[in-house]
Amino acid sequence: MSGPLLETKLRVPRRRRTAVPRPRLAELLGRGGESTLTLVSAPAGFGKTTLLTEWLAAAGEGRSVAWLSLDERDDDPVLFWTYLVAAVRTAVPGLGESAGSVLASSQPSTEAVVAALLHDLDAVPGEVVLVLDDYHVVSAREVQDGMAYLLEHLPPRVRVVIAGRADPVLPLARLRARGELVEVRAAQLRFTPEETGAYLTGAMGLPLAAADVAALEERTEGWIAALQLAALSLQGRADAAGFIAGFAGDDRYVVDYLVEEVLQRQPDDVRNFLLQTSVLSRLTGPLCEAVTGRNGGQAMLEALDRGNLFVVPLDDRRQWYRYHHLFADVLRARLLAEQPDRVRELHTRAGGWYERTGDRSAAIEHALAAGDPERAADLVELAVPALFQGRQEATLRRWLEALPDRLFPLRPVLNVGYAAALMQRGEIDGVESRLRDAEQWLEIQPRPGTGTGASDRCRSPSGEMVVADEAEFRRLPGAIALYRAGHARILGDAAGTLAHARRVLELADEDDLVRRGGAAALLGLVHWSSGDLESALRWYAQGMSDLDRAGYSADVVGGAITLADMRIAQGRLGEAVRTYQAGLRRAEQATPVLRGAADMHVGLADLCRERGDLDAARVHLRASSALGEHAGLPQCRYRRRVGLARIRLLDGDADGALDLLDEAEQLFTSDFGPPVRPVPAVRARVWIARGEEGRALGWARERNLSVEDELSYLREFEHITLARALLARYRSERATGCLRETTALLARLLPAAEKGKRAGSVIEILLLQALAEQARGDVPAALEPLQRALALAEPEGYVAIFADEGRPLAALLRAVAKQPAVAGYVRRLLAALDTTAAAPPVRSGLIDPLSDRELDVLRLLATDLDGPDIARRLVVSLNTVRTHTAHIYAKLAVTNRRAAVRRAEELDLLSRSRGPRPGGVAVPGR
C-alpha cells in the first residue's frame, strides 16, 4: 500500500460536525500524560475513534501525533511495523530512520525493528502520542510480543494510545499495578443523560421533548451507534414518541432494526450505493464508480458525509472515506440477503480497479473474496518477488494458504514461491515435493505472453500448466537448484549442498547475480564446515561480490562476519581486522546506517582484545552498545554477549561472564554458518578457568566427546576444550591418565589443523602441548612447541591467547626470552601476563559504570515501590525515573526490572555506592 491510500491510514480522522463535547472523558485521557499506555476498549459503536479525534484536536499544538488506522491486512509483522514506523515519520519528519533501515534489511526481525524504533523515539525532544486505532484486528503473536517490548522500554516522552473492540494481548495487569495504564471502557464511553440530550437536540437538531430524550437514553443505555441511528430515523417524523416506543431489545437487534429503518428512508440510488460499496474497506469516488457501474461516486460520498450516514472521512482532501464498522457489517449482511448473486461481481470489479491502479495487495484480497482463486493465484505469483524483497512472508503465507491445494501442482512458479516461503520460516516439510512438482514442467515452455500479465498455459498429461510471471519461469531451473541447496544445507547434507549449488552456477545466467551469489556463498559455507578454509574463502568472497554487484549492501556487510571468522580460523588477524573495518565503513557510509554496523564493532572488539588492546576493545563494545542491537544482524545479539563475557573474564567477573554466556546460548543463531565455536564449549572453558573442570568434563560427556573420536573441523574447538579440561584435572588431582589422554588428543589434533591450514587452532594446540610437557616436568620438551606457537603468532600480533594462561606460562616464556628472534615479542607477552595477574580480581563488570543517582534508583527498584512511589521518594518526576531506569537497563545489559535487580545483586551494587567488591577469581582461561 502506498500513496494516497497509505496516507489515509496515517492521518488523524477529521472531527465530526455532530460531535458532543465530553470534558469528563477529556480529563480522563489527560491523566495519561504520566502513563505508558492509554487503552480505549469497547464494542463497536461506542465512539472510540471520535473521542480520540476530539481529544487530540482540543489538546492543540505542543505534541506530535502518530496515528495508525489498522485493518485485517495489517496482521503481518513486517506490514504492521512498516506502517507504524511510517506513522512516526509522518508525525516527526526525519524520525524513524534506524527502524526504517532495519525494515529495509534482508532479515528484519521484530525485536530488531522495535529496538531501532525505541532508539529513534528516545531522541525526540518533545512529546509524542502514538495512536493505534482498531488494534483488535491484530492477533499475530510476533506483533503482540513486539508491542509488549515497546511498552516495557518506552522513552519517557512517548505515550501509546490503543483503541479497539477487545483488550489487547499485552501485559495490562503489570502496567495497571505500576500505575502506568489509563483505561477508558464502555461504561465511561456511554452517553450520560446530559450528553444524550446535547447530541439529539443540539448536534442533530431534533425537536424532542425531555421525556423522549430520556426514553431514548434508557432504551439505548447511552450506546452512541444506536443513538445516531435513532436520530437519523427520527428526522422528519411527526410522531417521535411513537417511534421511540417501537423498538427495544439487545444491541444487535437494535442495530438491525435501526439500520433497516435508515435504509428504507433512503432513495433507491442511495440504498443501492450503500449496499454495493459495502464490500469495500475504504471508499473513494473512482473506486465506487468502478464497483457500482455508475458515475458520481465522489459526489455521493460527500452527500453521505453531510447527511451523517455513518461515513468516516479519512483525509483532509475529502477523497477517502470508510463506513463505520458496525454500519458496514449490517450493510454486508443486507447485501448477502438481498443480492447474493452480485457479491462476487462486486468484488471482481473492486479487484480490477485496484489492479489497474497498482495496488496488487488489495486486488488479491478482493479476488479471494470473490471466490476466484485462479485470478488470486495469478496476482500472488506476480507479487512473490516484491513480497520476499519486502520481507512480507506472513502475508504471502496467508494468501498461499487461502488458495486451494489443487492449483499448486499446475503452477510451477507459484509452487516454488511456496517452497521458498516455507524455508524462510525454517520449515522444510513439503519443500522437496513442491520443488519436484515444479520441476516436471521445465521441459514445457509456455507460449509467448501478451505483455498484459495474463497467465500462459501449456498442456501435459497431468493437466494444464499456468504461468503468470514468465521472467520467473525462465529463472526457475536455477531457483529450484538454489532452494535444493539451501534445503540440503539445513539438513546438514554437505554433498547435496555442493551438488545443487554447483548446479545453480550451471543453470543461472551470468547476470542472475542474486542466485549465483547465493550459490557461491553456500559453497563457501560447505567448505568452511569441512575445514577447507582456502576454498571456503574463495567461494564465499565470490558470493559476496555477486551480491554486492546486485545491490544487496546489507547482505554484504553481514557477510563480513563470515569472512572475518574464516580468516581468524586461518590465524590471519590482520586480514580479519581489515575485513571488519571495510564492513564498518560500508555500513556507516549508507544513509541510514546499514544494519550490521554493531556486528562490525563486536568483531573488532574481540580482535583488539586478542591483540592486547583492551581499551580499544571496550571502545568498540561501547560503540556497539550505543548503536543498539537493532543495528546488528540476528547473530549480533549472541556475539555481543560472548564478547562482553570475555571482557568480564579479564575483569575477574566469572559469574557475570557465565550469565552472559547463558543469554548468548538462548539467542544463538547460525544463519546457515557452521557452529565452529559453540557457546556451551566457551562456557566450559570458563568453568575450567575457575577451577571447575569437573563440570567441563561433565559437559564433554553430555556431548559424547572423547579422546578417541574421529576428528572433524566442526568439533575441533570442542576437542581442544576437552584437552584443556583433562589438563586441568591432571593439575588438580595429578591423574596421570588425564595427562596421557591430553597429550594423545593434542598429538592427533595438531596434524589435522596443520593440514587444513588453520593456524588459529595450530597456535592453541601447540601452546597446550607446551603446558602439558611443563606439567609433566619436561621443560626442554615444552619449549619446542612453544617456540613454534610464538613464530606463528608474532606476525599477527596474538597476545591474549598467551596472557590468558596466567603464571604457569610465565616460566616458559622467560626461558625462551633469551632468544633474540622472539625476545621483543616475549617481553610484550610477559608484560601483558603481568598486567593480567595484577588486575583487580573483580570489578563491577560494567563497561559504563552507574552514576550515583542511577544507583539510588536501582536500590529502590529492588523494593516493592512502583514508578510513581520511587519518583516521590526521590523528589523527581516519573519521567526522570523512567530515564534513569532505561540507562540502568542498558548498562546492566538487561531488559526488565527483575533482571536488573538480579544483576545488581550479582555485582554487589545494592550494598555499596561504587567501586570493586572484595574477593573474586583470577581467570586465566580463554
Side-chain angles (χ1 to χ4, degrees), residues 208 211-220 230 233-234 237 239-249 253-254 257-258 261:
L208 297 178
D212 294 332
V213 171
L216 272 176
E217 193 277 330
E218 181 181 357
R219 294 289 178 90
T220 62
S233 298
L234 282 166
R237 288 183 181 270
D239 185 13
F243 172 79
I244 292 169
F247 74 87
Y253 173 81
V254 170
Y257 175 79
L258 291 176
E261 284 288 321

Side-chain angles (χ1 to χ4, degrees), residues 250 603 641 879 923:
D250 61 23
R641 283 161 177 77
N879 282 348
V923 182

Side-chain angles (χ1 to χ4, degrees), residues 158-216:
V158 182
R159 174 182 178 187
V160 174
V161 179
I162 287 178
R165 300 183 188 180
D167 281 6
V169 186
L170 296 171
L172 300 182
R174 185 163 69 231
L175 292 170
R176 191 180 292 120
R178 294 178 182 174
E180 296 180 1
L181 174 65
V182 169
E183 299 172 83
V184 181
R185 299 189 172 275
Q188 289 87 26
L189 288 167
R190 294 181 188 277
F191 270 1
T192 64
E194 294 75 19
E195 289 168 343
T196 300
Y199 173 70
L200 293 173
T201 61
M204 297 300 291
L206 296 173
L208 297 178
D212 294 332
V213 171
L216 272 176

Side-chain angles (χ1 to χ4, degrees), residues 84 222 251 258 276 322 615 722 727 733 848 913 916:
L84 193 148
D251 291 347
L258 291 176
Q276 292 169 12
R322 69 167 172 85
D615 290 338
L722 172 60
L727 179 58
E733 298 183 5
D848 189 4
S913 298

